[in-house]
Amino acid sequence: MRNNSEIRPFTIDIPQADLDDLRDRLTRTRWAADLPDVGWSRGVPVSYLKVLAEYWRDGYDWRAHERELNSYPQFTTQIDGQNIHFLHVRSPEPDALPLILIHGWPGSVAEFLNVIGPLTDPRAHGGDPADAFHLVIPSNPGSGFSGPTREAGWDTNRVTRAFAELMNRLGYDRYGAQGGDTGAVIAPGLGRLNPDKVVGVHTNGLSAFTEVNPDDLGELTEADRARLAHLAYLKTEGSGYAMMQISRPQTLAHGLHDSPVGQLAWIVEKFKEWTDPAAELPEDAVDRDQLLTNVMLYWLTGTAGSSANSYYETAHAGAWGASQRSTVPTGVAVFPLDVSIRPTVELEHTVVHWSEFDRGGHFAAMEAPDLLTGDIREFFGKLR
């Protein structure tokens, strides 16, 4: 049976044996050697990773963060043969606009914990109640409690169709979509799929996939030229993780699934690379416990391989690029190290709102929740 439309309440309840096993594995880590004086240039230094893993083992309290996650209504449902987990947080404001928030890799629903309150209940957070949203926050198929995936083929287009069905199943005929990273592919995809239902798409970290010659873009700002240079880095030295996940996700999965420190290093490197460049260490940009909760949602659910497979599926299906230019009003928030370049983005999206910020980074909901919340409110305020 491909679909069971029942929506079931869900509560996270990790067996203590799984937590004990994690602690034991962290205690028995076989540490790799690294070279002196190379810092982060070749990946995560063992000196840094040892300290973080020790805190994970002895200082981090999963049960506290499990309770925090469980303080929000959670559900599961089956769509296209796959279990889909999601938070569904209704606003106390009756006229709130439904909004789906979509994470990417290596993110999770934990990415959005700092924005749930301000977005659903602005009245209680110093905002205008007219800016309230009903939030739907799904775990991407293959990630967290929506994983592992049960069959091949879950590229971003299939995920987009599943999330459209999720919103339909919840009875939302008019809603907004927001996402960063892979979410900045899926959210615009929802607009293309259902332009009559999606009132607007807000993104952070939005890039265009249309190949263009920079010389054909006319006058570029100094910031745009810096983003082009950073994009060139991301396509070369910064693409190692992606090429592995695109080409051999199963080989990678064996190490990450067996070693919590391996899983930690694989994710924390991206938090070092992609967070606010003003931050010396990942925990200077995001809360250390929130970072570890994000890692836990991969480790405890055994989704290192299936989340990596999403890269393989999308690349081999040719699903990264836009099938057509979106006609849905689109807002773009640009944070430091984002490579959003307006002349290229406008080739694929109807951009009606563009904001640039001087703090924050790729994980905007974790790093600068105030800025992201304000920009979402401003964008959708014109579309309600």
Side-chain angles (χ1 to χ4, degrees):
M1 185 176 181
R2 298 298 299 173
N3 275 327
N4 178 349
S5 60
E6 180 186 3
I7 296 175
R8 300 170 296 277
F10 178 80
T11 300
I12 303 170
D13 185 15
I14 298 300
Q16 185 59 41
D18 290 359
L19 302 181
D20 294 341
D21 175 69
L22 170 60
R23 193 173 195 282
D24 181 59
R25 288 171 183 265
L26 290 171
T27 299
R28 294 184 296 106
T29 300
R30 183 178 179 225
W31 293 101
D34 54 8
L35 295 173
D37 305 320
V38 298
W40 287 78
S41 63
R42 305 184 187 209
V44 185
V46 68
S47 57
Y48 171 81
L49 200 58
K50 279 184 175 180
V51 173
L52 186 58
E54 181 179 347
Y55 174 76
W56 191 10
R57 185 190 66 199
D58 297 329
Y60 172 81
D61 181 0
W62 163 254
R63 293 300 186 198
H65 299 286
E66 184 181 69
R67 287 192 296 272
E68 181 183 11
L69 286 163
N70 283 334
S71 70
Y72 299 106
Q74 296 173 73
F75 304 88
T76 60
T77 192
Q78 189 179 82
I79 299 176
D80 195 10
Q82 177 63 33
N83 179 64
I84 303 293
H85 162 261
F86 60 99
L87 280 63
H88 187 197
V89 188
R90 299 269 305 174
S91 171
E93 306 296 339
D95 295 328
L97 176 69
L99 177 67
I100 183 170
L101 298 178
I102 307 169
H103 70 80
W105 184 92
S108 68
V109 295
E111 212 173 315
F112 298 109
L113 290 175
N114 295 337
V115 301
I116 292 175
L119 288 176
T120 58
D121 193 4
R123 188 191 301 268
H125 292 81
D128 186 342
D131 288 329
F133 297 91
H134 300 308
L135 295 182
V136 178
I137 310 174
S139 296
N140 289 350
S143 294
F145 294 104
S146 287
T149 39
R150 299 170 179 169
E151 60 185 2
W154 277 95
D155 61 78
T156 53
N157 287 336
R158 188 171 176 184
V159 176
T160 300
R161 293 192 296 271
F163 286 174
E165 170 58 22
L166 174 61
M167 296 302 280
N168 180 64
R169 197 169 289 183
L170 292 172
Y172 291 138
D173 294 326
R174 184 177 184 273
Y175 60 91
Q178 199 285 330
D181 192 85
T182 312
V185 177
I186 299 169
L190 283 169
R192 292 186 180 93
L193 186 65
N194 287 319
D196 56 329
K197 293 184 177 183
V198 178
V199 299
V201 172
H202 184 279
T203 63
N204 53 288
L206 179 65
S207 297
F209 293 93
T210 304
E211 290 291 335
V212 294
N213 185 335
D215 294 334
D216 295 335
L217 295 175
E219 191 74 23
L220 291 177
T221 67
E222 183 178 340
D224 282 339
R225 295 201 176 276
R227 290 173 191 137
L228 276 174
H230 188 57
L231 180 61
Y233 165 80
L234 292 177
K235 288 182 175 180
T236 53
E237 188 171 337
S239 68
Y241 82 98
M243 292 310 300
M244 190 66 187
Q245 297 193 155
I246 285 170
S247 62
R248 296 295 184 270
Q250 190 58 44
T251 301
L252 175 67
H254 298 303
L256 302 188
H257 189 82
D258 186 61
S259 168
V261 165
Q263 178 70 91
L264 177 64
W266 192 247
I267 289 178
V268 81
E269 181 198 281
K270 304 338 291 179
F271 275 81
K272 166 64 174 174
E273 288 268 308
W274 296 346
T275 51
D276 192 324
E280 183 177 350
L281 296 172
E283 60 265 35
D284 296 331
V286 302
D287 178 78
R288 181 169 57 172
D289 275 23
Q290 194 175 10
L291 189 158
L292 288 172
T293 298
N294 185 72
V295 173
M296 287 288 269
L297 291 179
Y298 285 84
W299 175 258
L300 294 172
T301 59
T303 51
S306 56
S307 62
N309 260 309
S310 66
Y311 275 64
Y312 181 98
E313 302 288 2
T314 299
H316 286 78
W320 285 123
S323 57
Q324 62 191 51
R325 186 174 186 272
S326 173
T327 59
V328 173
T330 300
V332 182
V334 187
F335 292 88
L337 296 185
D338 283 346
V339 289
S340 306
I341 300 166
R342 186 161 187 168
T344 62
V345 168
E346 287 181 332
L347 296 173
E348 298 176 2
H349 306 271
T350 302
V351 178
V352 300
H353 174 92
W354 187 275
S355 300
E356 300 190 10
F357 299 103
D358 60 4
R359 64 177 172 89
H362 187 77
F363 302 95
M366 301 171 81
E367 297 182 67
D370 57 331
L371 297 181
L372 184 64
T373 296
D375 206 60
I376 292 171
R377 289 172 176 171
E378 182 181 351
F379 169 69
F380 283 105
K382 307 166 188 172
L383 302 172
R384 290 175 180 268

